[in-house]
Amino acid sequence: MAKTKENISNEPIEKQLWKSADKLRKNIDAAEYKHVVLGLIFLKYISDAFEELYAKLKSEKGEYAGSDPEDKDEYKAENVFFVPEVARWTYLQSKAKLPTIGKDVDNAMDAIEKDNPSLKDVLPKVFARGNLDPTNLGGLIDLIGNIALGNAKARSADVLGHVFEYFLGEFALAEGKKGGQFYTPRSVVELLVEILEPYKGRVFDPCCGSGGMFVQSEKFVAEHKGKISDISIIGQESNQTTWRLAKMNLAIRGIDSSQVKWNNEGSFLNDAHKDLKADFVIANPPFNDSDWSGDLLRKDGRWKYGVPPVGNANYAWIQHFLYHLSPSGTAGFVLAKGSLTSKTSGEGDIRKALIEARLVDCIVNLPGKLFLNTQIPACLWFLSRNKANGGSRNRTNEILFIDARNEGHLINRRTKELSQDDIKKIASTYHEWRKFKGKYEDVKGFCFSANIERVKELDYVLTPGRYVGLPDEEDDFDFKERFSSLKAEFEAQLKEEERLNKAILQNLKRVKI
């Protein structure tokens, strides 16, 4: 028994916190409970940052001489959220045992939004609901309040930011398919960022979920001794609840999220950043989305390489990403693996045009079971506007294919993740291939650098297995992917018939008149 207790005490703090918080959940669904827990973690973070600066202002020492600790401008000047008295953690913790604690926390969230316009409509007000027991809420407040943070704001941001990120992943796992709608598995995000290396410039994600791509980009810069101020974050999200998570996720990391926009129409119908030309695009759009309003966008200016089918948004996303890339920009994104072979409704012609335009830089075949919301096989696309140099060797007539299906390990019966070694292996293969005097070599069954003529011979199919030496039948056929593709094709045909019928009826009405 002593051994078990020792193992528990040696667990990372985020795991201990998760287990304790999950016990307090009782009968609340994970999808709802995540806003309770993540909202409190965020509240603890901004309260800690406020209290630290408050103490300095109150001391009136050095540069803080003559300061007013209740002056909101003092906090704005140091990029710290002002926290009114009724929202400070010490105040709430003193009320944690009272039956009215839920209402107190909701009032705290309202007060914070009132004093900090950038948080307007972002914070959850779900704490006074009848299904959340006040005793359990009080226990949760005590639990989060007891995190050993030290006094420094940086320490607070680091610990609570890590806990926030960990909890996002755990809630996504707990929600399963629904969780995947707001969360891209961390190992996939890390791989995208490690390959793209966004050291400096504008990083854009037009379907940003809870902001994981942005957080990882900032981490990458920090870990490689770069300046966080050298990159700017720009994004868009159509789900307001998810957008709120993103805003909190970024704020807890001290990342400026003023250019992360929400509208319920989404990036295709209401592009919030129409004039943006980004240095990096990093994204995980919905797979095989048939409900993207493609019938309203037949003549859109973004479709330079071909009009995408109404029933599948894959090639609409690709061209949306390209539209927003600067002349030397690069993009890395997740798509369903069917995008590599599909010829449905002109998709094959669009893929051919992209290849002929020398935009496709690298394709990575991912292992199965990485994603929570789908079992459809996935791949990574990497596009480059400037393959001729851009700080690397001329790769204009080459495409790198990596088959990583044998990488990764199970973290439970249904879910895999890539290890740090897996990520390093894949990313370093790409970087060595790009270097002027890199140590890249083709490895049978894993990677192959193909010239464009070889891709033409294979009818512009981009499935890595065709190039690295895996059997076609092993690489290409997947029942669920094929079913999804056929379903999208069928829906596209139905929409087209519906459009034609409407046009015929309108013409008949005109004739009668």
Side-chain angles (χ1 to χ4, degrees), residues 359-391:
L359 291 166
V360 182
D361 200 29
C362 175
I363 301 291
V364 179
N365 204 2
L366 292 173
K369 298 184 177 181
L370 286 178
F371 294 86
L372 303 169
N373 60 331
T374 181
Q375 290 302 309
I376 294 173
C379 62
L380 302 182
W381 287 63
F382 293 93
L383 306 179
S384 176
R385 282 278 193 193
N386 187 7
K387 291 174 68 175
N389 50 61

Side-chain angles (χ1 to χ4, degrees), residues 164-173 175-187 189 208-213 242 245 249 284 370-373 417:
F164 193 96
E165 186 182 4
Y166 179 83
F167 274 35
L168 274 173
E170 291 300 308
F171 277 119
L173 280 170
E175 289 184 58
K177 187 173 182 178
K178 289 182 180 178
Q181 293 171 1
F182 71 85
Y183 183 79
T184 302
R186 187 169 63 178
S187 65
V189 179
C208 67
S210 53
M213 302 288 184
T242 302
L245 288 176
N249 194 16
N284 175 23
L370 286 178
F371 294 86
L372 303 169
N373 60 331
E417 71 176 13

Side-chain angles (χ1 to χ4, degrees), residues 24 59 79 119 137 166 171 178 181 201 208 225 272 304 335 367 376 432 442 493:
L24 293 169
S59 72
N79 199 28
L119 293 176
L137 176 58
Y166 179 83
F171 277 119
K178 289 182 180 178
Q181 293 171 1
C208 67
K225 311 303 179 188
K304 183 178 177 182
L335 277 185
I376 294 173
E432 290 299 325
D442 292 336
Q493 289 172 350

Side-chain angles (χ1 to χ4, degrees), residues 14 17 28 39 43 50 60 128 157 161 203 253 258 263 286 326 350-351 375 458 462 487 489 501:
E14 66 272 15
L17 274 171
I28 304 174
L43 190 57
F50 169 86
E60 297 192 47
V203 180
R253 292 282 181 180
S258 58
N263 65 63
S326 70
I350 302 174
R351 185 170 57 251
Q375 290 302 309
L458 292 178
L462 294 177
K487 182 185 175 188
E489 186 176 350
N501 288 336

